[in-house]
Amino acid sequence: EDQVTQSPEALRLQEGESSSLNCSYTVSGLRGLFWYRQDPGKGPEFLFTLYSAGEEKEKERLKATLTKKESFLHITAPKPEDSATYLCAVQGTGRRALTFGSGTRLQVQP
Amino acid sequence: NAGVMQNPRHLVRRRGQEARLRCSPMKGHSHVYWYRQLPEEGLKFMVYLQKENIIDESGMPKERFSAEFPKEGPSILRIQQVVRGDSAAYFCASSPDSLSGNTIYFGEGSWLTVV
């Protein structure tokens, strides 16, 4: 059974204070690892897909990296508008549905 | 290019009534997924459908819940005889066929409240 564990559960940063969110996973063959952002009362917004260990992707202040056991979402010089819950999910080979972690609630204070 | 469309956004039902949630996938997408998010919990997979076929329903409760994706029209998630524990946000998502990529895009959700 695919499993995803995200840490920390909650993170409070000062504006400009860089940090990383962790996503540890176990899956029987990784087809893709996904990062989403979810604001309160909204649906998950797609950020990145990573397919193989060593892959990195960037978007504005966010950078996602992938190893064989975990992924990191690095947030550089965050702004208050980066406050949201960040969700990690895996898709195993032979199965299209995603398995999600419980998310990391990020709060960036001005 | 419209995203995944869900309606209603908010639905209130009394215990014992039926709830029907509708989802139109993104244009060109042939795969639909339903997820449930209970208060303060993560997203849990319920069912995966293609047109006229249920492919994976391993996350669906055995009773009262059903889903369909007909040849014409939106996908429907149906909950019969709702109970308070069904109160949650229900998210629909869609993806293109595997040759076009496997990224799954979500709608804004339907919030069901059972009173």
Side-chain angles (χ1 to χ4, degrees):
Chain A
E1 184 179 331
D2 301 343
Q3 289 190 325
V4 178
T5 303
Q6 291 188 247
S7 62
E9 289 187 11
L11 181 63
R12 183 178 295 180
L13 299 173
Q14 292 296 124
E15 185 172 2
E17 179 186 1
S18 302
S19 189
S20 297
L21 281 54
N22 178 263
C23 170
S24 298
Y25 65 91
T26 55
V27 63
S28 54
L30 181 68
R31 189 175 181 199
L33 184 139
F34 299 78
W35 282 97
Y36 291 85
R37 167 192 172 131
Q38 186 175 25
D39 293 294
K42 303 277 190 173
E45 175 188 347
F46 171 73
L47 293 174
F48 304 108
T49 308
L50 301 168
Y51 295 102
S52 57
E55 189 175 1
E56 299 182 352
K57 288 192 176 175
E58 287 188 68
K59 179 181 179 180
E60 296 182 353
R61 295 177 293 280
L62 300 176
K63 178 180 176 180
T65 62
L66 180 65
T67 72
K68 288 187 177 180
K69 293 184 178 181
E70 56 191 351
S71 176
F72 291 93
L73 185 66
H74 306 280
I75 303 176
T76 302
K79 298 182 178 181
E81 54 261 43
D82 294 323
S83 297
T85 296
Y86 290 85
L87 302 170
C88 173
V90 295
Q91 185 182 55
T93 53
R95 190 163 189 254
R96 292 187 69 94
L98 300 180
T99 300
F100 279 86
S102 297
T104 294
R105 292 189 308 280
L106 174 66
Q107 184 178 7
V108 181
Q109 295 182 314
Chain B
N1 184 18
V4 178
M5 303 301 292
Q6 291 189 246
N7 68 84
R9 289 296 315 280
H10 298 276
L11 182 64
V12 179
R13 284 288 178 265
R14 296 186 184 278
R15 282 177 293 172
Q17 290 185 320
E18 178 180 290
R20 285 192 178 217
L21 310 177
R22 288 175 290 278
C23 169
S24 295
M26 285 180 70
K27 186 177 181 181
H29 286 192
S30 56
H31 303 267
V32 166
Y33 313 79
W34 286 95
Y35 284 79
R36 177 165 64 175
Q37 190 171 43
L38 294 167
E40 304 303 321
E41 292 190 17
L43 283 159
K44 302 296 183 187
F45 168 74
M46 299 180 74
V47 63
Y48 157 45
L49 312 100
Q50 294 180 26
K51 285 284 188 182
E52 299 185 282
N53 283 300
I54 296 175
I55 308 301
D56 180 354
E57 56 182 347
S58 58
M60 283 280 270
K62 293 291 185 281
E63 298 179 348
R64 302 188 297 107
F65 285 73
S66 62
E68 63 177 11
F69 189 16
K71 186 176 181 181
E72 301 290 338
S75 175
I76 306 285
L77 180 67
R78 181 183 179 200
I79 311 171
Q80 294 178 290
Q81 299 173 346
V82 296
V83 301
R84 289 226 171 108
D86 296 332
S87 295
Y90 291 84
F91 290 97
C92 174
S94 72
S95 67
D97 62 59
S98 57
L99 294 177
S100 304
N102 60 335
T103 296
I104 297 175
Y105 297 90
F106 283 79
E108 293 290 78
S110 290
W111 266 257
L112 171 65
T113 301
V114 179
V115 297

